[in-house]
Amino acid sequence: MKNFIYIFLLLISSCYSQQNNRKYSIGQEIKSEGGFLLDKGKLDTDYGIAFSNSETKIFILFFKIENTKKIIIDILEIDKKELEENKLTEYCYTNNGADTEIIALVKKTDNNAEFYTKIKKAWRANRKIGKFEKIAKRKVKKCDNENNGI
């Protein structure tokens, strides 16, 4: 019986820590996280991106503003280990010019470089479908380096 209780407590502890690692869910309101609004364009609704993290993950929250509340419509999770030699950035460019919907994981380069050009992974915060969608890294030509003072 003692072994059963130990295993039971171990399982509960494991489930609890996994739930704590995932801080957000779809439909939840964002209270206070750093981020930015996407260019409204021809849309009549505001959308935005917020960033948060846990001990092991970075959460990119795609939200829609409804009745002054920021409601999460999709979540992209990135393991913090991927950021050891890379960096998450926004304000990227394709052949069609600047695209505010793109978030990219780029190879860290010299902070004096004007742009990041070594794209590792890229996603689009697609407002039409309300989801992050993976896009081919070759479609992203460069991303602004905010450390350069652009």
Side-chain angles (χ1 to χ4, degrees), residues 55-58 77-84 105:
E55 191 173 310
T56 60
K57 302 274 186 187
I58 298 292
E77 291 182 31
I78 298 174
D79 195 314
K80 282 187 175 178
K81 290 178 184 176
E82 289 193 73
L83 297 177
E84 290 172 2
L105 185 67

Side-chain angles (χ1 to χ4, degrees), residues 10 21-22 27 30 48 50-51 69 71 103 106 120 135 149:
L10 187 62
N21 198 33
R22 177 137 177 125
I30 301 171
F51 298 93
K69 293 182 180 180
I71 306 299
I103 302 288
V106 298
K120 305 298 258 174
I135 59 174

Side-chain angles (χ1 to χ4, degrees), residues 131-147:
K131 300 248 181 235
F132 283 110
E133 61 183 354
K134 190 168 185 166
I135 59 174
K137 64 183 181 179
R138 62 177 158 55
K139 289 186 177 185
V140 180
K141 301 304 175 196
K142 60 186 179 180
C143 298
D144 287 348
N145 180 352
E146 71 283 354
N147 292 328

Side-chain angles (χ1 to χ4, degrees), residues 13-149:
S13 173
S14 174
C15 291
Y16 181 74
S17 67
Q18 287 173 3
Q19 288 175 347
N20 278 347
N21 198 33
R22 177 137 177 125
K23 296 168 56 172
Y24 301 98
S25 61
I26 304 298
Q28 178 182 351
E29 180 183 359
I30 301 171
K31 295 295 184 185
S32 60
E33 299 293 341
F36 59 94
L37 289 176
L38 297 173
D39 180 25
K40 205 167 188 172
K42 296 178 183 176
L43 301 169
D44 60 356
T45 303
D46 287 318
Y47 291 87
I49 303 291
F51 298 93
S52 187
N53 64 75
S54 71
E55 191 173 310
T56 60
K57 302 274 186 187
I58 298 292
F59 300 101
I60 304 173
L61 310 171
F62 186 18
F63 65 86
K64 180 179 183 179
I65 297 179
E66 294 179 354
N67 301 321
T68 70
K69 293 182 180 180
K70 297 181 227 170
I71 306 299
I72 299 169
I73 57 176
D74 201 13
I75 302 169
L76 183 62
E77 291 182 31
I78 298 174
D79 195 314
K80 282 187 175 178
K81 290 178 184 176
E82 289 193 73
L83 297 177
E84 290 172 2
E85 295 181 9
N86 303 307
K87 176 182 171 91
L88 272 173
T89 190
E90 63 273 353
Y91 301 112
C92 297
Y93 298 80
T94 66
N95 284 337
N96 298 327
D99 190 330
T100 60
E101 290 184 339
I102 295 177
I103 302 288
L105 185 67
V106 298
K107 180 84 173 157
K108 285 183 187 174
T109 59
D110 179 14
N111 281 340
N112 293 325
E114 188 175 358
F115 297 100
Y116 296 107
T117 57
K118 294 181 179 175
I119 313 303
K120 305 298 258 174
K121 295 180 182 179
W123 302 267
R124 176 181 309 284
N126 188 326
R127 293 177 273 189
K128 291 178 184 172
I129 63 171
K131 300 248 181 235
F132 283 110
E133 61 183 354
K134 190 168 185 166
I135 59 174
K137 64 183 181 179
R138 62 177 158 55
K139 289 186 177 185
V140 180
K141 301 304 175 196
K142 60 186 179 180
C143 298
D144 287 348
N145 180 352
E146 71 283 354
N147 292 328
N148 187 258

Side-chain angles (χ1 to χ4, degrees), residues 5-17:
I5 292 172
Y6 175 75
I7 291 171
F8 179 74
L9 289 174
L10 187 62
L11 286 172
I12 289 176
S13 173
S14 174
C15 291
Y16 181 74
S17 67

